Amino acid sequence: MKTIAVYSSKGGVGKTATAVNLSYAALEQNKRILLCDMDSQGAASYYYRIKPKKKFNRTKLLKGDFLQFIRETDYPGLDLLPAHFSFRNLDLALTSEIDQPDRTALRKLLYVLEDEYDYVFLDCPPNLTLLSENIIVAADCVVTPVVPTTLSVLALEQLLKLFRKVACDKKKLLAFFSMVEKRKSMHAGVMKKYLKYPIFLRQSVPFMADIEKMGLYRKPVAAGPTRSVAPQVYRALWQEIMERRLKG
Amino acid sequence: MKQPRTESFTTEDGAQIPLLLENLSKTYSVLEETSRNRKTRLFDTFDWRLYRKNLICSISSSRFVIRDFAGNEIMQCRAPRKSRIFWSDIDDQKTSELLKKYLSMRALLPLISIEGVEHSFKIVNQDRKTVLRLQIEKYQALEGDTSMEMPVIISIQELRGYEKPFDQVQKILVRDLPQLGQYGSYIEQAFGIARREPLDYGAKFQVNLEKEATIGESVSVLCQALVESMAVNQPGVERDIDSEFLHDYRIGIRRTRSLLSLLRKKLPTRISYFEDEFKWLGSITGPLRDIDVYLLKEDSYKSLVPEMFEPGLQSFFDDLASGRQQVLRTLRTELNSERYERLLTDWQFFIEDHDSELFGCKAHCKSTIDKIILKRFNSFVKRGSGITEESPDDALHTLRIRGKKFRYLLEFFRSYYAPQDIDNFLKHMKKLQDNLGDFNDLSVQIEMLQAKLDGLHGRNKKTLSLAAALGSLITRLQTEHQKERARFNRIFEKFNTESNRQLILEMISND
Ligand SMILES: Nc1ncnc2c1ncn2[C@@H]1O[C@H](COP(=O)(O)OP(=O)(O)OP(=O)(O)O)[C@@H](O)[C@H]1O
Ligand SMILES: [Mg+2]
């Protein structure tokens, strides 16, 4: 089992769109997939039309009693652990559990899934907290979308600092340009400047109407009603991530 | 993690289905997702080798699948594009190894088809999220122009995390419909229309005789069963489906000849005509069987010689394979000859017609057989005990033939005695017969290979490498041959015990 966290401290950069479509691209290769919606907003759960069961909450999650709350999506082989409203202060809970910050709690929780799934994807909320540290420690690979603007690149530098703080191997961090609009000169400029760094994946995700419309159809783009190149883009992105970090 | 549940139900009454769906859609949104035509072809060997292991083999949508009777998939892989499938035709290594174990030299043949439609429905909630899957399968069993409706199958599949909808729909279905039994018994129903039915053929000889019957009556029954076993195998021989058809066909000949010779003194003199003709039948079927025997040994021979001789040996097998077609053609001609036709007609009259001289043999069969068994047993044991380490090979060969005849005798008249006693005795005898059989096979092989070697001419590369390979092979076989010879006396001693003698005595005195 490999864990892939889709993470950024910035909001609205395409994390959820990425987690939803990458998990589907991985499913297309006949793997057993779990998508964990770590964001109390529940956007990923919404895209897959899944609501949490009534009895689910943060405490159960942290106790490791969450297998019974995993639900199958409409796509056999792809399961989802829905978000719950109580996830909004998961990070506080992580601290109070044992009175001092525990960075390995999430890693330990995910261990029970080892034989059940080939890939576990984490869709993360946009913040820089103890939960973020847990996510970085738990993941075999942290994928971070970067909108090609100067501010977003700053957020990436912040993230690298966080990696140093938790003493994690920087190699497991992979960035890609998200919501790219070729016509915007700033986008082109930033990409030209940064794409040469190995932290950036070759594959970027353009700004596409089909991705924007996902909220309407509530399906990953590859299962949606329109024929577009978006699924190809996510397949290629997934391929590159696997080659860079997950092979062997 | 718990696996999601599935459950299947069945109904003979297709009219129930629309009603059922209507009922469900009062509470749930039921959407038809797909409807797919399905065509499944069932396969087994002529003698049901998979069925005997509680396995069912099918091809559907180009997938080759083996299931157990409960319906669990044991193996699945790409289907070969053939209607006659040997284990070696399967690409997937695991599947072909499994098949090799069960089928050996036999081919899988298509039996019947099951065709129909699979309708898939999904049951969705207010978010249009699928919370339960439902399938309705309507099939027909087909063979040639005949067809038969199969019971409709309704299955539900739970989605992980959506237990309630499964529980609720299951409750409704349980109330109205019987559960689907085993996959195996569902499939068996399909054979209702087929020419073949499971286990209708096996190489084991089993005939029930009347205890009061005369010799004429018993021989008639036995020979009819034997001629029948030859008749069912003959088309497979002529169409050259697999080598076992000829093998079983020849066993029919050998058993018939054996029966006639065992009872020669009690039967009309006319049987000498039939003995000659069945001998002829043995001789015309022999050459093809000989080639098959060597072809079947290809792997084992190759494993016996050092690797560098393998190419040399290959040319030996290539020659055999290319000569085989001609031999088969000759056999086909003989099997369609007047002489063969006449033999069958005469034989049929002789064993079936009440005006036949055969029915003039009015001696009580069982008491005659009791005596023959005892006599044959005693002479077998005496002959075997006389064999020392120094005796010539021929002494063992003769003993083997006597042993085989004795085994046939017990098998023919098994129903006169306690069958388990016979089986028990034959089990004790098997080790000895295997030893004698292997010894004889090796003698024949060595002789044939030596003759082949002696007959080689020329000094070209191919001939030389074949000669080297044959030489190496013969040496190996001679070692095996000596080993079997050396084992004989000990194996015979183990067979020649007082308890085995008692077994025979009790068997024939027990009425
Ligand atoms: N490549 C894209 N092209 C067009 N629209 C996109 C693309 N990626 C994301 N969007 C849209 O942008 C919005 C924000 O995307 P998304 O929810 O994936 O970001 P996020 O980083 O998960 O946001 P949050 O931080 O709020 O969780 C959504 O409406 C989404 O449909
Ligand atoms: Mg999000």
Side-chain angles (χ1 to χ4, degrees), chain A residues 48-51 53 67-76 79 113 116-117 218, chain B residues 1 3-4 33 122 124-131 133 158-163:
Chain A
Y48 279 111
R49 303 169 188 249
I50 291 178
K51 287 185 182 137
K53 291 190 187 176
L67 291 184
Q68 56 164 320
F69 299 106
I70 291 174
R71 296 191 124 170
E72 200 173 322
T73 66
D74 283 4
Y75 315 100
D79 291 352
L113 303 170
E116 310 285 347
Y117 296 101
R218 299 178 75 180
Chain B
M1 229 164 21
Q3 280 310 306
E33 206 169 11
K122 53 186 184 180
V124 301
N125 63 15
Q126 308 93 302
D127 290 324
R128 300 219 129 200
K129 166 77 182 79
T130 310
V131 294
R133 292 203 169 83
E158 183 184 37
L159 273 79
R160 170 167 291 132
Y162 295 93
E163 295 82 8

Side-chain angles (χ1 to χ4, degrees), chain B residues 44 46-53 196-202:
Chain B
D44 209 331
F46 186 69
D47 55 356
W48 305 95
R49 292 195 180 186
L50 292 181
Y51 190 91
R52 283 174 209 279
K53 300 284 177 208
R196 303 286 314 268
E197 65 179 285
L199 304 185
D200 61 2
Y201 179 81

Side-chain angles (χ1 to χ4, degrees), chain A residues 8-18 39 41 43 47 123-126 145 178-180 205-215 234:
Chain A
S8 167
S9 59
K10 275 183 69 68
V13 295
K15 294 184 294 294
T16 301
T18 305
D39 187 348
Q41 298 289 323
Y47 284 130
D123 182 30
C124 307
S178 171
M179 303 167 98
V180 175
V205 178
F207 188 95
M208 280 187 275
D210 290 311
I211 302 178
E212 217 177 2
K213 274 190 228 144
M214 262 176 31
Y234 285 112

Side-chain angles (χ1 to χ4, degrees), chain B residues 96-119:
Chain B
S96 87
E97 266 167 26
L98 183 88
L99 283 180
K100 183 178 183 179
K101 194 171 99 195
Y102 290 138
L103 307 186
S104 185
M105 76 301 276
R106 291 232 85 153
L108 289 171
L109 304 170
L111 296 165
I112 46 170
S113 297
I114 298 178
E115 288 185 32
V117 198
E118 179 193 283
H119 301 277

Side-chain angles (χ1 to χ4, degrees), chain B residues 37-48:
Chain B
N37 289 320
R38 289 215 177 275
K39 184 173 169 171
T40 303
R41 208 126 199 241
L42 299 176
F43 285 76
D44 209 331
T45 63
F46 186 69
D47 55 356
W48 305 95

